[in-house]
Amino acid sequence: MKRSKILEERRKHVNPEIRKSIDLSFQIVDRIHEVLEEKGLRQKDLAAMLGKSEAEISKWMRGTHNFTIDTLVSIETALGAPILQVFHQDNLQTV
């Protein structure tokens, strides 16, 4: 995909903390999509499982939603699969 020089220049000036937050949000959405696909489900199915509207789930899945811990737990419970894993520096091993 060809990248816009203007957008790339603007990205250089984005606060690293904000960039990291956005990247993590997209990783969460990618994981939810992955689990849905593995289980043969659609966003519509996830909405029904959570008692949410399809429109709300669609907004979440754009990658800019600020997921709460409670929301992530609800999604993990509904899908029966982990979405977010937490690693502590003490547990990381260098290979």
Side-chain angles (χ1 to χ4, degrees):
M1 174 194 301
K2 186 175 179 182
R3 294 187 172 217
S4 163
K5 289 181 182 181
I6 295 170
L7 288 177
E8 288 304 312
E9 189 58 38
R10 292 184 112 187
R11 283 186 183 159
K12 290 178 187 176
H13 301 289
V14 173
N15 178 317
E17 189 173 316
I18 292 171
R19 186 176 312 134
K20 187 174 182 179
S21 176
I22 292 168
D23 288 346
L24 181 57
S25 184
F26 277 109
Q27 289 173 13
I28 291 168
V29 169
D30 288 345
R31 175 64 181 146
I32 294 168
H33 276 295
E34 179 181 287
V35 173
L36 288 172
E37 189 173 288
E38 287 172 0
K39 295 184 176 279
L41 300 171
R42 297 175 299 167
Q43 288 183 28
K44 178 180 182 177
D45 301 315
L46 180 58
M49 290 179 198
L50 297 174
K52 304 286 184 186
S53 70
E54 289 179 56
E56 185 171 359
I57 300 302
S58 179
K59 287 179 186 176
W60 291 2
M61 302 305 280
R62 288 189 190 127
T64 57
H65 181 72
N66 189 9
F67 289 97
T68 65
I69 297 297
D70 291 339
T71 301
L72 290 170
V73 168
S74 294
I75 293 168
E76 287 184 336
T77 301
L79 295 177
I83 300 301
L84 187 65
Q85 293 181 341
V86 179
F87 295 94
H88 295 280
Q89 190 64 32
D90 296 343
N91 295 335
L92 294 178
Q93 296 179 2
T94 307
V95 179

